[in-house]
Amino acid sequence: FGVALGFFIGYTCGVQFSTDQSWRIMICLGSIPPFISLISVYFIPESPRWLIMTERPGEAKRALSQLGDLNIDYTLQAIVDEHNESKAFEGILFDKTTRRALLIAAGLGIMQQISGTE
């Protein structure tokens, strides 16, 4: 639906602004959403998970409070526990015994994309 809506809006703009300068109007209209996104990035707090990974729990607490979390200590402990579990998973993932299977699976996925088969 989104692609069809985009085509319809593009067609409508092309019909409405069918002058030699219409490309400028389309570029200006297309630059509005990225500009809004760029400005809104400055108001988003840092990710508490990333702050825990970089060993900054005080800032993670502050970020959780900015996000409106009511049970900050519980959420913080859950993030720490999940981070510790992911460290254990990384050890399993990159172990010598599983490396061969991982490379075969990744290679098959890459070859599928390159060859264009589904």
Side-chain angles (χ1 to χ4, degrees), residues 4-5 8 15-16 19 21 25 28 31 50 54-55 57 64 73 75 77 83 85 93 98 100 106 116 118:
L5 181 65
F8 177 73
V15 170
Q16 288 291 339
T19 65
Q21 307 300 322
I25 296 169
C28 289
S31 66
W50 181 79
T54 57
E55 299 177 6
L64 284 171
D73 293 327
T75 306
Q77 187 60 43
H83 176 63
E85 288 176 13
L93 186 64
T98 57
R100 182 171 184 245
E118 291 185 24

Side-chain angles (χ1 to χ4, degrees), residues 29-104:
L29 289 175
S31 66
I32 292 171
F35 184 70
I36 292 171
S37 296
L38 182 67
I39 290 174
S40 66
V41 164
Y42 293 108
F43 299 105
I44 299 173
E46 292 186 13
S47 167
R49 293 180 191 278
W50 181 79
L51 291 169
I52 291 294
M53 287 174 49
T54 57
E55 299 177 6
R56 300 190 308 200
E59 292 179 41
K61 264 189 177 179
R62 192 170 340 121
L64 284 171
S65 67
Q66 286 177 346
L67 292 170
D69 193 354
L70 299 177
N71 198 353
I72 294 173
D73 293 327
Y74 176 76
T75 306
L76 196 63
Q77 187 60 43
I79 292 172
V80 169
D81 292 343
E82 186 179 309
H83 176 63
N84 292 336
E85 288 176 13
S86 71
K87 281 184 178 177
F89 181 71
E90 286 175 7
I92 294 170
L93 186 64
F94 296 111
D95 188 34
K96 285 186 177 184
T97 57
T98 57
R99 186 177 300 146
R100 182 171 184 245
L102 178 65
L103 289 174
I104 290 172

